[in-house]
Each structure stands twice: as structure tokens, then as C-alpha cells.
Amino acid sequence: MRRTSFLAGGGHGWRISALETPREKPAPWKIVVITGAPSWAEYWAEVLAELPKDREMVVVDRPGFAASEPLHPVTDIRVQAEALSPVLNVPRGQKVLLVGQSYGAAIASIMADRNPGKVAGLVLLSGYFGESGPTAKWLLDLGSRALGVIPRDLRNAVIEVTGQKPQLRHARRALARLNIPVHMIHGDQDDFAPLEVAEKLAQDTVTRRPIRVVRTEGATHFLNDGPTETLIEALEACIPARRFGWNFIWPKMSQLWPAKLPDTASAA
């Protein structure tokens, strides 16, 4: 893997940092990961290292985190989606599976909606949608009390998450407009973003295609922590199977013309 960067979209002028898997030639599919809060691409290092050679992956540090600019939090999820949109630019013929992890799920939904034709499939991985589980509630409460002394990334994460709920209407509208496969992968032991909240979103949001919900038994909020093969297999299941060529059989002559033509004279 290697560190890379790109200029944010929307004319913001920020430099966005990311980790990617270099390949000699473009793979058929590129998996683009929009991480949660705090946004640290390094936590996907093991997945990047174990990714099959016929796949590519890029994991971003979102604006306001790690090596990405700016230093202050970017609290509007629409601005985040706009800034991250250049990561969807891929070589001709390559397809993108866009993965939004935790807080990044809502952002990825807006990115997919605003970039028609650039995203072939969307995955909402451990999606956070305004309601916190017990561990997240405890951390947010603690962080809110210590905003002045905690590190920048933790401070920006607390500010982001506590201000997300009123903005979720933008993500719901985006999901309703999408005409691509949408997959929701969620651990049934997630105590940060409750599975029930994600399932309710999938049930209540009127979409052009049904959202495929996958319960991952025994998994917590951080599916990228391992086992690596479990997450890679789950993502691979979101990529359509490759179809090889035409399956066309020429009809027999007897099927095109009857063996004996009717006697028109006698028929008259």
C-alpha cells in the first residue's frame, strides 16, 4: 500500500490524504472507502494488505482528520461529499464499489447520488444514522466535556457526530434517488451504531431498489479490525458476478420452418 493525496472537489482547495493499493494495471473494480469519525485510513491497513490482486482499494482520511486538510471540522455532510467526490474518478472501464463506514455512510450516500454513472454499487458498513449505542453515548458525553483538551481529531469527531442527526434528511433523499444496488452490512453486536437503527432506515426509506441488509453474526462496529477475510468476503458479495460472453443458441431449421407447408388449395 502507499500514501497518496488529491485536491478536494468543490473548489475548497484542501489536500485530502488517503491510502491505496498500487496495481500495475487498473483492476476491474475499485473499492472506495469513506471512513467514520475519527477518520483514520491506517485502521484499514490490514484489509488493504490482504485485498485480492484483481481488486483495488483507496481509503480516505476525510476533511479535518489525520493528514487531510483543513484543521477545523467540516460539519456539513454535503460539503464532505463534495470535497471527496474526486476520489470517484477512475480509469475508463473500471467500476467503483463505494463503501461508507459508520459516519461515512451518510456521506457516501450523497456522493453516490451526486455522481451518477460513477458508482456501480453502494455499501453502508456499520452505518451511523443519528442514534448512538451505549459505548458511543459514553464516549460522546466524555468528549463533549473535554473538548478543550482532547486531540484535534477526537474533538472534530465529537463535533461532527453530535451535529449529524438534523442532516440525515439529505442522506435519505439521496438513497431514495439511487438506482444502483445498495447493501447494508452491520454487526449484530454493534454498540456504537445500533443495528436496529440501520434496519429501520432501510425499512422506512422508499428506494428505487430494495436495500439488501446483511447481519454479520458476532461482529462489532469495527468490522475492519478483523478477521480480515470476513470483511473482504462480505464486500466481494456486493460485487456482481462476472458474465462471460453471449449465451445464444441458433435455432434449428425445423424450428424456423415446418417440415411440410400446408396445401393452400385444399385448405381453401
Side-chain angles (χ1 to χ4, degrees):
M1 82 192 79
R2 68 184 177 194
R3 175 68 61 179
T4 186
S5 66
F6 60 91
L7 193 63
H12 296 289
W14 305 323
R15 180 59 58 179
I16 305 299
S17 180
L19 286 177
E20 67 177 2
T21 52
R23 298 288 188 257
E24 291 184 5
K25 61 179 182 179
W29 282 83
K30 187 171 191 174
I31 303 171
V32 176
V33 181
I34 310 302
T35 49
S39 178
W40 294 325
E42 282 85 356
Y43 278 85
W44 281 73
E46 189 174 346
V47 180
L48 286 157
E50 297 296 326
L51 197 71
K53 295 301 181 183
D54 63 342
R55 299 286 183 253
E56 290 181 48
M57 180 178 280
V58 57
V59 185
V60 300
D61 294 323
R62 291 191 295 101
F65 294 97
S68 291
E69 298 172 339
L71 294 177
H72 60 78
V74 179
T75 56
D76 192 323
I77 59 176
R78 295 167 297 177
V79 174
Q80 288 260 356
E82 181 181 57
L84 295 171
S85 61
V87 78
L88 300 177
N89 297 330
V90 297
R92 186 181 178 127
Q94 190 177 60
K95 294 183 178 181
V96 169
L97 180 68
L98 180 59
V99 179
Q101 180 193 23
S102 191
Y103 186 90
I107 296 170
S109 301
I110 297 172
M111 289 174 66
D113 176 50
R114 290 187 174 183
N115 293 273
K118 291 188 176 183
V119 177
L122 174 66
V123 178
L124 309 177
L125 180 67
S126 305
Y128 178 83
F129 303 107
E131 301 288 343
S132 300
T135 302
K137 284 180 181 177
W138 179 80
L139 289 172
L140 288 171
D141 180 65
L142 183 64
S144 298
R145 296 169 185 268
L147 276 182
V149 296
I150 58 178
R152 181 201 71 151
D153 282 16
L154 296 180
R155 181 174 65 252
N156 289 355
V158 171
I159 293 172
E160 271 192 348
V161 173
T162 53
Q164 187 217 46
K165 193 170 184 176
Q167 303 183 67
L168 286 178
R169 65 186 186 277
H170 305 305
R172 291 192 186 96
R173 289 171 186 164
L175 287 171
R177 287 191 290 256
L178 289 177
N179 193 24
I180 58 174
V182 179
H183 313 267
M184 181 177 285
I185 302 173
H186 216 108
D188 64 359
Q189 301 300 312
D190 192 332
D191 60 351
F192 278 74
L195 170 62
E196 295 75 20
V197 175
E199 288 180 324
K200 189 175 188 306
L201 176 78
Q203 181 179 354
D204 294 349
T205 304
V206 179
T207 56
R208 299 176 71 177
R209 300 190 188 197
I211 297 177
R212 171 177 168 260
V213 179
V214 180
R215 279 174 166 250
T216 308
E217 187 176 350
T220 65
H221 187 64
F222 304 99
L223 280 86
N224 53 300
D225 277 352
T228 304
E229 60 270 18
T230 301
L231 177 55
I232 291 177
E233 287 174 6
L235 294 178
E236 195 67 25
C238 300
I239 295 177
R242 186 177 178 182
R243 295 184 177 89
F244 294 94
W246 290 87
N247 188 24
F248 181 78
I249 301 175
W250 286 99
K252 296 179 180 179
M253 296 298 291
S254 60
Q255 293 175 308
L256 295 175
W257 293 282
K260 182 179 179 181
L261 294 174
D263 188 340
T264 56
S266 60

